[in-house]
């Protein structure tokens, strides 16, 4: 009896020890894995993007030559703020006569390129709020490098003082990069001065030709104005009057001749 109890206790202790060793082995061999981090935003290559869209070749060439493209690229992919670009089409540079960009220094041209970007990502819906807090400083910095925004029923208008344009299309709107096409080159006051160009005069209202009334003596049957008749021009009523006067004169002469013959 005593031997049996010892055997049972020894078996239980052995089982307990084995279970403890197995549990430790599982803990050591199967460590708890930390959750994988959320994937970051997709890398955006601005050079490739602007090369395909547009055409924006002229603006892209300015960005590359001034190395501003590197600044924009770092802002787009290495910050949480993101970036908003306003990209003029090639035709915007072609139509730009005065002022000319050919007389700008290298620093001025660099500032001009930086003036076309905001150091923050803005969706189209965000511009409605920007119109309440304008002007907004651009990448070029300073009050003379700021832009005014207005939202007109969903159409975004930009005003730099020298340039007044609007967003004509959205090239890319995925965070952290927003690229919007504009119809004009944005010209800052810091480069071109505060002697702003005059506002274009409104188009004159169309002049409506007023046709004379049908019973007007200066109108014909088509309703168009007719030149007044000259005093010596004949009309049916004038011819009738002249004929009646001639008959009456001959009648008076005939009657007078009859009386004269009677008395003779």
């Amino acid at each position: 009896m005593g031997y049996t109890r010892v055997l049972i206790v020894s078996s239980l202790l052995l089982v307990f020890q084995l279970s403890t060793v197995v549990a430790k082995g599982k803990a050591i061999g199967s460590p708890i894995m930390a959750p994988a981090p959320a994937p970051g935003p997709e890398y955006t290559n601005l050079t490739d993007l602007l090369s395909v869209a547009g055409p924006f070749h002229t603006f892209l060439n300015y960005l590359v030559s001034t190395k501003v493209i590197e600044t924009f690229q770092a802002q787009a992919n290495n910050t949480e703020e993101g970036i908003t670009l306003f990209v003029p089409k090639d035709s915007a540079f072609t139509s730009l006569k005065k002022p000319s960009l050919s007389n700008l220094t290298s620093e001025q041209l660099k500032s001009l390129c930086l003036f076309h970007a905001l150091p923050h990502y803005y969706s189209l819906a965000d511009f409605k709020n920007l119109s309440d807090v304008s002007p907004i400083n651009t990448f070029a910095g300073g009050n003379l490098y700021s832009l005014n925004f207005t939202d007109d029923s969903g159409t975004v208008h930009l005003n730099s003082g020298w340039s007044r344009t609007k967003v004509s299309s959205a090239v890319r709107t995925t965070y952290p990069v927003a690229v919007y096409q504009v119809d004009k080159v944005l010209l800052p006051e810091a480069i071109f001065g505060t002697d702003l160009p005059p506002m274009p005069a409104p188009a004159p209202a169309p002049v409506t030709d007023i046709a004379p009334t049908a019973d007007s003596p200066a109108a014909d049957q088509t309703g168009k104005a007719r030149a007044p008749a000259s005093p010596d021009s004949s009309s049916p009523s004038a011819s009738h009057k002249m004929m009646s006067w001639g008959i009456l004169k001959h009648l008076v002469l005939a009657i007078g001749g009859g009386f004269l013959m009677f008395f003779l």
Side-chain angles (χ1 to χ4, degrees), residues 36-122:
E42 180 183 357
Y43 180 84
T44 303
N45 190 314
L46 294 177
T47 302
D48 291 346
L49 177 62
L50 297 180
S51 298
V52 176
F56 304 127
H57 302 300
T58 304
F59 185 66
L60 179 58
N61 290 337
Y62 281 130
L63 294 181
V64 173
S65 63
T66 58
K67 297 184 178 181
V68 172
I69 189 67
E70 299 175 5
T71 303
F72 289 169
Q73 194 71 65
Q75 179 73 17
N77 296 294
N78 301 335
T79 68
E80 295 183 356
E81 289 294 323
I83 190 172
T84 301
L85 281 172
F86 302 102
V87 187
K89 298 184 297 183
D90 288 347
S91 58
F93 289 92
T94 304
S95 60
L96 184 63
K97 304 301 181 182
K98 291 183 179 180
S100 175
L101 303 185
S102 60
N103 298 326
L104 299 183
T105 65
S106 57
E107 286 300 319
Q108 288 175 330
L109 190 58
K110 181 178 181 179
S111 297
L112 176 71
C113 293
L114 292 171
F115 188 59
H116 286 73
L118 305 178
H120 187 80
Y121 168 83
Y122 292 103

Side-chain angles (χ1 to χ4, degrees), residues 18 28 51 63 91 120 128-129 140 150 165 177 189 199 208:
L18 290 174
I28 296 174
S51 298
L63 294 181
S91 58
H120 187 80
K128 187 173 184 180
N129 297 327
T150 54
T165 185
V177 177
E189 295 181 15
M199 289 286 291
T208 304

